Amino acid sequence: PDSGTRGDASWPPSLAMAVGEMWWNVFASKACLFLRALGSVMVLIVLSLLGLTYYTTVVLVYGPLAASAEPDSYEGRFATWVLVVYHVLILMVLWSYFACVLTEPGRVPDGWTPPEEDEEVGNHKSNSEKLRRFCRKCTAWKPERCHHCSVCGRCVLKMDHHCVWVANCVGAYNYKFFLLFLLYTFAATVFDAVVLLSNFVAFFKDLQAGDAGGGQNPDGTERGPLDEIETEFETTQTHNGGEVACVFVTFVLDVAFAASLLGFIIMHANLNLSNMTTIEMYEKKKTLPWRYNQGHHKNFKEVFGVSWVWWFVPAHGADHLRRLLDSSRVSGGSYPDMELDGLDPSDGPSIAGDSPRGLNGGTCGPCG
């Protein structure tokens, strides 16, 4: 009988698996296209949210306060201090965000080849720890701790995850920028919520006072809470319904994002201090103890650099750039342009926190 027809309920297992895999590949492909398109939208959403907080904090609240208050008054000095700190935080948020969006997350060097590995030894390692791994989609070897991103369509060195909020993968070259983006965004949202707290509380006080006041409007209708608030705002000529709504929405968004970001910061702080990625976190239980863990201090310096000057700046120093290049041969692999990049093919790769072992002490070609 023809087992491929629907008249036969029992398909061969191999054919059933092939059909299932085909439909899964079609679904995965469509999902990847959707995530790729969603990334551009998410960038616009992030910029819109930053624009809302800027408009509320600077244009509606503290900008007019700083302009109208006496220069030597407490209100004037406080408003000026708020504006300075807020602009610094927003600048660092935007800098770290676009650094994460625009930076190549970790391209595998062209022609990279892995070292030899005993097959029996490799069978006892997790997938990301194996020395010889071939990517069928890229048709090329991929280094240790490297993973293929289906959304970006490429292999990424020390890939952590694909983030739709930055429309990019987070990998070896931009993981520091991603962490700084989380930290500065958390600091900015907490700061913004604190300085808008008095305005947020005043909204509910006015609402309560209006509810208790009662009375009638000039046209004979009953006065409600919003009527009282509107009267007060018209008297001071500093607020209207739209401004109150902006303050309310901005404060709620600040608190919501700060609470959610705190969880991400704690998780990635633990991963960073353990020299582990999000992908590897799910493989760790198979490979205890974690062999890449060189101690908190060295693990931290592998991501943020040796010099403290660069720790809070969304950029890499020349020495750290060469260390990131060196991470492509963490398993001892090599590629044709190693000498041009200032790396010695005959030397082993650097470990976490150590300076990269260059060619005769030279500097990296692209960054020196």
Side-chain angles (χ1 to χ4, degrees):
D2 185 7
S3 58
T5 63
R6 293 188 179 271
D8 190 351
S10 59
W11 284 19
S14 59
L15 180 59
M17 291 178 61
V19 172
E21 184 176 354
M22 178 188 69
W23 282 107
W24 170 253
N25 289 337
V26 171
F27 172 78
S29 176
K30 297 296 183 182
C32 292
L33 290 175
F34 172 75
L35 290 176
R36 196 175 304 166
L38 181 63
S40 301
V41 177
M42 298 306 291
V43 172
L44 295 178
I45 291 177
V46 170
L47 296 180
S48 299
L49 292 173
L50 290 175
L52 173 63
T53 63
Y54 187 90
Y55 176 76
T56 302
T57 307
V58 177
V59 179
L60 294 184
V61 180
Y62 285 97
L65 180 59
S68 60
E70 293 294 332
D72 295 332
S73 65
Y74 169 78
E75 291 81 4
R77 291 196 300 269
F78 180 74
T80 302
W81 175 79
V82 168
L83 291 174
V84 171
V85 174
Y86 179 80
H87 278 88
V88 170
L89 289 174
I90 287 297
L91 173 64
M92 299 308 296
V93 168
L94 289 172
W95 186 2
S96 57
Y97 180 70
F98 281 107
C100 190
V101 171
L102 301 176
T103 299
E104 162 62 45
R107 182 184 64 85
V108 179
D110 295 334
W112 186 89
T113 55
E116 296 296 330
E117 181 181 31
D118 185 85
E119 184 176 353
E120 185 176 349
V121 175
N123 291 335
H124 296 284
K125 295 182 179 179
S126 66
N127 186 47
S128 64
E129 289 183 289
K130 292 180 180 179
L131 304 185
R132 300 183 66 84
R133 298 186 302 144
F134 191 80
C135 180
R136 292 179 295 175
K137 297 180 180 180
C138 295
T139 63
W141 293 103
K142 55 182 180 181
E144 190 176 353
R145 309 187 77 181
C146 177
H147 295 273
H148 183 89
C149 176
S150 299
V151 180
C152 296
R154 57 183 171 178
C155 286
V156 177
L157 296 173
K158 200 180 177 183
M159 178 179 172
D160 188 88
H161 68 289
H162 183 90
C163 181
V164 294
W165 287 96
V166 301
N168 198 4
C169 272
V170 177
Y173 295 170
N174 65 348
Y175 185 53
K176 170 188 172 181
F177 307 152
F178 175 75
L179 295 180
L180 289 178
F181 171 62
L182 294 181
L183 289 172
Y184 285 125
T185 304
F186 176 76
T189 53
V190 170
F191 178 80
D192 199 42
V194 170
V195 298
L196 292 179
L197 179 61
S198 59
N199 302 81
F200 183 78
V201 172
F203 169 78
F204 288 98
K205 285 185 176 179
D206 293 337
L207 193 67
Q208 184 178 11
D211 189 32
Q216 291 184 335
N217 291 314
D219 58 2
T221 59
E222 291 293 329
R223 295 187 63 82
L226 296 180
D227 295 321
E228 295 290 342
I229 296 174
E230 182 179 359
T231 301
E232 181 180 346
F233 287 168
E234 288 176 351
T235 303
T236 59
Q237 296 182 351
T238 58
H239 295 85
N240 57 43
E243 294 174 357
V244 172
C246 283
V247 172
F248 180 84
V249 172
T250 301
F251 180 84
V252 172
L253 288 175
D254 283 335
V255 174
F257 275 97
S260 60
L261 285 173
L262 181 60
F264 281 107
I265 291 173
I266 293 174
M267 183 189 78
H268 280 283
N270 290 329
L271 291 176
N272 181 29
L273 295 178
S274 302
N275 199 352
M276 188 181 304
T277 66
T278 301
I279 295 176
E280 293 168 346
M281 178 175 62
Y282 296 100
E283 299 178 344
K284 178 184 176 183
K285 59 184 180 181
K286 305 175 185 177
T287 57
L288 290 175
W290 191 241
R291 72 187 190 89
Y292 302 113
N293 189 353
Q294 303 292 327
H296 292 348
H297 190 221
K298 285 191 174 183
N299 294 338
F300 177 86
K301 290 194 295 182
E302 182 173 289
V303 174
F304 286 87
V306 176
S307 175
W308 65 269
V309 176
W310 297 95
W311 287 354
F312 301 102
V313 179
H316 294 306
D319 184 70
H320 192 57
L321 276 174
R322 191 148 56 96
R323 181 181 296 103
L324 294 176
L325 280 171
D326 200 19
S327 69
S328 65
R329 56 177 186 139
V330 66
S331 58
S334 60
Y335 59 97
D337 293 334
M338 286 186 66
E339 294 188 7
L340 294 179
D341 291 338
L343 299 175
D344 188 353
S346 62
D347 201 355
S350 59
I351 62 174
D354 289 345
S355 296
R357 306 175 203 178
L359 186 63
N360 297 324
T363 58
C364 165
C367 37

